Amino acid sequence: MKMIHIAVPDSQNATLEGYLLDCEISLGQEKRRPAVLVCPGGGYMYCSPREAEPVALSYAARGFHAFILRYSTGAAAAGFAPLGEVSWAIGFLRENSEQWNIDPEKIVVCGFSAGGHLALAAGLLAQNKPNAMILGYPVASAPANERINFLLKILEGKQEVSEEDARKYDLISKITPQAPPVFLVATAEDMLTQYGALPIAKAYSDLGMNYELHIFQYGPHGSSLGTEVSADGNARKRDFAYSHWQELSVQWLYKTFGAPVLTADKPEGKIGQFLAQQGLSLDKKTQR
């Protein structure tokens, strides 16, 4: 595995981190693999570490190149700066797809909470759009009320926000038939589900578009993977049933992009290739 760390141009402190898998032993018949770009949540105030590295590594373990966009937050996010940063990141992955063995037509953006808002905005509004989206308990609209209008205040860079501001960042009305396929996960006990996963699914359903929705009964907002790795000591953010969402998302990606083709008769690695040249194999069933 090769790791990269790149500063996002024209940004105060945004960075792109990546985990590039060794493609000498290819997954299937082609060396090029899909890539997952993770946008952590954090209310546009910070980037949650629980929704960054643990998520990226979980996708890397399933054969995807994985990246983390630590986008601008706080005052630096004003003017919706993160949208330009995620667009740059997607374009940067496509520009480097050949040398990094990325399939440029299989780039997924995966976002949580405010990062889910950003990921959805990338799919709808960015100059460089992803080919699919995975959204964990996303915020798709932020009504101008005191419970969640802090998102609007950060993105607008002002102390008071209006209904007009809320409409500006309401992404539900911007979903069109050209939007990328989406995988949605949330929980029934999360009050923000009504402002994210449910209306997104309804919009996609009304348009007859490709989506998959999973609403689990238990799990607070910000549950990330729902495992010990991402719980950070918080027992409420560890739930066995909810934790299945990540595997479900992988299977959805296989259905959306096509599953890896595994060939039983293909020698694996240099040792396998050497043995094949000698008419030998480590597999008892194929010994000659």
Side-chain angles (χ1 to χ4, degrees):
M1 179 183 289
K2 175 184 177 181
M3 297 180 63
I4 63 168
H5 187 97
I6 299 169
V8 176
D10 303 320
S11 174
Q12 294 183 23
N13 53 16
T15 61
L16 177 68
E17 302 170 11
Y19 301 90
L20 295 167
L21 301 183
D22 181 2
C23 290
E24 184 175 354
I25 301 175
S26 63
L27 181 64
Q29 298 184 34
E30 299 294 333
K31 290 186 177 181
R32 289 194 173 188
R33 303 171 186 245
V36 176
L37 174 64
V38 178
C39 298
Y44 285 116
M45 293 184 288
Y46 73 110
C47 286
S48 170
R50 297 187 306 97
E51 296 162 344
E53 187 176 76
V55 178
L57 289 177
S58 70
Y59 281 107
R62 295 306 311 273
F64 298 87
H65 295 303
F67 299 84
I68 303 167
L69 176 65
R70 301 186 190 274
Y71 50 88
S72 294
T73 55
F80 209 1
L83 178 58
E85 294 164 356
V86 70
S87 180
W88 171 86
I90 294 168
F92 189 72
L93 296 186
R94 290 201 173 106
E95 290 173 7
N96 291 276
S97 60
E98 185 171 351
Q99 66 166 318
W100 289 344
N101 288 307
I102 294 173
D103 189 327
E105 300 303 318
K106 297 180 180 179
I107 294 178
V108 186
V109 63
C110 173
F112 300 85
S113 191
H117 180 271
L118 176 59
L120 180 58
L124 302 177
L125 307 175
Q127 180 178 355
N128 299 305
K129 295 179 174 62
N131 303 103
M133 302 176 294
I134 297 173
L135 308 181
Y137 39 89
V139 178
S141 61
N145 63 56
E146 289 302 318
R147 298 199 71 177
I148 57 177
N149 69 1
F150 64 89
L151 295 175
L152 303 177
K153 293 178 180 179
I154 291 174
L155 295 178
E156 280 293 289
K158 56 189 183 183
Q159 293 299 315
E160 298 298 329
V161 291
S162 64
E163 291 291 345
E164 182 179 352
D165 294 325
R167 287 192 293 271
K168 181 178 178 180
Y169 295 99
D170 179 2
L171 300 178
I172 301 299
S173 61
K174 299 175 177 62
I175 296 174
T176 70
Q178 288 70 48
V182 64
F183 177 97
L184 298 154
V185 60
T187 66
E189 69 173 287
D190 180 2
M191 62 84 60
L192 289 183
T193 297
Q194 63 184 305
Y195 299 117
L198 290 177
I200 294 171
K202 184 179 186 305
Y204 267 70
S205 179
D206 289 346
L207 292 170
M209 297 164 60
N210 182 350
Y211 78 97
E212 185 163 318
L213 170 66
H214 294 272
I215 302 291
F216 293 89
Q217 178 67 49
Y218 301 109
H221 188 78
S223 290
S224 187
L225 293 172
T227 64
E228 290 84 354
V229 174
S230 64
D232 194 25
N234 188 334
R236 288 201 67 226
K237 295 185 177 180
R238 181 187 62 193
D239 186 271
F240 178 74
Y242 171 83
S243 69
H244 284 79
W245 77 260
Q246 202 261 346
E247 175 59 28
L248 292 170
S249 74
V250 170
Q251 297 305 318
W252 177 80
L253 287 175
Y254 288 168
K255 294 175 184 177
T256 302
F257 290 153
V261 179
L262 303 179
T263 54
D265 58 346
K266 182 177 180 180
E268 295 295 338
K270 294 182 178 179
I271 294 177
Q273 293 170 9
F274 174 78
L275 291 175
Q277 292 172 357
Q278 310 303 314
L280 301 172
S281 173
L282 293 176
D283 187 345
K284 291 182 180 180
K285 294 181 180 179
T286 59
Q287 288 283 6
R288 287 188 278 171

